[in-house]
Amino acid sequence: MGTPATEYAKVIRWCAPSTVYGIKTTITLPTQASIGGSNGNGFINFYLAVIGSSTGYECGLSTYKSKADEDKWHWFWNTGSANDGGSYNIAGSAAVPVELSINASKTLNFKVNGTVVKTFVGATGTFSSLTSARLIIAACDQDFGSNVPSPLPNWNTLHYQVTCSNIQYRNSSGTWVTISGSPDPTEFWPTPSASHPHTGTPADYTRSVSTGKIIASLKR
C-alpha cells in the first residue's frame, strides 16, 4: 500500500496479538474483479503484514487494472524500499495458502502454496519475533498524486467475495493459534472530511466474520 494522502482506497485490518512468530491464512480469490479508477495505479491486494528486524513486510496476492480484466493474480512482497512478485498465473477463485513465519535459521520465510518464494534476512541479520502482524484486505481505486479532487469521484473498483480462512498466528511455543476477535472497521483513504466524504458506491465492504475467517466483497 502507498499513503493515505494520495490513494483512494478502502482497507480492512485484522490484527494478531502484539508479539508472534508467524502468521498465515488461505486466500480464496474472487471469481470476478475490476479496477475502474481513471488515474491509474489502482489495485486489489490481499496480504499478510508484519514488522520484524526494524522493517515492515507485506506479502500476499495482488492484481491491478489490466490483469484484473484478464482474471490474473500473482504473489508479491514489499518492504517499502524494495518489492517483487511472481508471474500473473493465478486465476480468480483459486484457494492459495500464504504464510509469513520465522524459520529455524531465524530468517523470515514467505510461503505460497507451501513453497518458500522469498526469504528475508532483515536489517539485523535475524528475526527474534514479529510485531504488528495482521491480515489486510485492501482495494485502491486510483492514485490522485498531489491533486485529490473534491468531491471524490464515484468508487469504481469492485470484486466478488474474497475468503480468508484459517487465519492463524504462531506463538512462542511454536503452536499455530486461530485468530480471535474481529477485524477493525474499514479505514478510508483519503481520510474522510467535509471536503472529502466517502459516498461512492459501494461505500464499504460487505463482510461476514467468524472464528479465524472473513468473507469480504465490494459489489453494487
Side-chain angles (χ1 to χ4, degrees):
M1 296 291 294
T3 164
T6 63
E7 291 180 352
Y8 187 26
K10 306 179 193 292
V11 185
I12 297 174
R13 294 181 174 87
W14 197 345
C15 298
S18 57
T19 301
V20 303
Y21 300 83
I23 184 169
K24 65 181 181 179
T25 188
T26 295
I27 301 170
T28 302
L29 292 167
T31 57
Q32 184 176 332
S34 61
I35 299 167
S38 60
N39 285 288
N41 300 317
F43 56 82
I44 301 171
N45 287 352
F46 310 127
Y47 62 96
L48 305 172
V50 300
I51 295 175
S53 187
S54 303
T55 302
Y57 299 88
E58 299 176 343
C59 301
L61 307 180
S62 178
T63 191
Y64 68 95
K65 190 165 186 174
S66 64
K67 294 301 182 182
D69 293 342
E70 298 173 1
D71 190 33
K72 293 180 179 179
W73 298 74
H74 78 152
W75 58 260
F76 77 97
W77 60 265
N78 181 22
T79 65
S81 60
N83 62 83
D84 201 356
S87 300
Y88 282 86
N89 57 8
I90 305 173
S93 78
V96 184
V98 294
E99 177 182 327
L100 265 178
S101 57
I102 299 172
N103 59 34
S105 300
K106 302 299 183 182
T107 54
L108 182 65
N109 283 341
F110 172 34
K111 296 181 181 180
V112 179
N113 274 322
T115 298
V116 177
V117 298
K118 177 68 176 179
T119 297
F120 303 99
V121 175
T124 60
T126 59
F127 295 81
S128 57
S129 62
L130 304 170
T131 60
S132 298
R134 57 218 184 270
L135 168 76
I136 304 288
I137 293 173
C140 175
D141 188 66
Q142 52 191 303
D143 192 334
F144 300 121
S146 59
N147 299 306
V148 180
S150 177
L152 293 168
N154 192 47
W155 180 269
N156 282 306
T157 292
L158 308 171
H159 65 77
Y160 285 9
Q161 293 180 344
V162 57
T163 301
C164 299
S165 57
N166 299 317
I167 309 167
Q168 298 183 312
Y169 62 90
R170 198 171 74 201
N171 64 17
S172 59
S173 300
T175 301
W176 286 99
V177 180
T178 300
I179 198 168
S180 59
S182 298
D184 295 338
T186 302
E187 183 175 346
F188 298 95
W189 297 357
T191 301
S193 63
S195 60
H196 295 110
H198 285 247
T199 58
T201 304
D204 198 353
Y205 287 92
T206 298
R207 62 169 91 180
S208 173
V209 177
S210 55
T211 303
K213 180 178 181 179
I214 180 171
I215 301 171
S217 62
L218 288 169
K219 296 192 294 184
R220 292 201 172 106

